[in-house]
Amino acid sequence: QVQLVESGGGLVQAGDSLRLSCAASGRTFSMGWFRQAPGKEREFVAAITYSAGNTHLADSVKGRFTISRDNAKNTVYLQMDSLKPEDTAVYYCAAGKYSLSSSLGSYDNWGQGTQVTVSS
């Protein structure tokens, strides 16, 4: 069982940037970021393959967010630029076996989440 720990969340203003990190206790394969706003279901944000050769982003964040990984550090990153108030949510990283999946059920291990709040 891989342990995942997210960090980097915080309170920012609209238009600002944040970089989230997800440190894994061991090797992971496909990695994803999801988010959950109050009163809403958890939704897919981004995914990346082990080789980092392919990524998949939700339409709502394309052009603003970038997912990357450093396998030597067992860490995945989510660079978030041009943040909007609607990006406010708890962000979770997840590890799974299926490349680039946007489905929650494809991921076996989840972090505890980090809060991102974007003020207008």
Side-chain angles (χ1 to χ4, degrees):
Q1 187 85 351
V2 175
Q3 304 299 316
L4 304 174
V5 179
E6 301 97 334
S7 61
L11 172 62
V12 297
Q13 293 186 331
D16 285 350
S17 298
L18 275 177
R19 188 176 81 155
L20 305 183
S21 299
C22 173
S25 60
R27 180 176 176 176
T28 59
F29 294 94
S30 185
M31 295 291 295
W33 285 97
F34 291 77
R35 66 187 182 186
Q36 188 166 18
K40 295 188 177 181
E41 295 185 351
R42 194 169 297 189
E43 64 175 8
F44 171 77
V45 175
I48 189 167
T49 56
Y50 177 77
S51 67
N54 290 291
T55 62
H56 175 38
L57 294 165
D59 289 343
S60 59
V61 305
K62 280 181 181 176
R64 300 188 299 121
F65 290 12
T66 304
I67 186 172
S68 62
R69 66 189 297 165
D70 183 340
N71 291 332
K73 297 180 178 180
N74 290 330
T75 301
V76 176
Y77 304 98
L78 185 67
Q79 177 67 41
M80 305 186 295
D81 299 321
S82 302
L83 282 161
K84 304 176 180 179
E86 51 263 44
D87 294 319
T88 295
V90 177
Y91 283 71
Y92 299 89
C93 71
K97 304 181 184 70
Y98 304 101
S99 295
L100 302 179
S101 175
S102 59
S103 172
L104 275 73
S106 296
Y107 295 87
D108 305 310
N109 301 98
W110 292 82
Q112 83 290 348
T114 185
Q115 176 71 46
V116 172
T117 303
V118 185
S119 63
S120 57

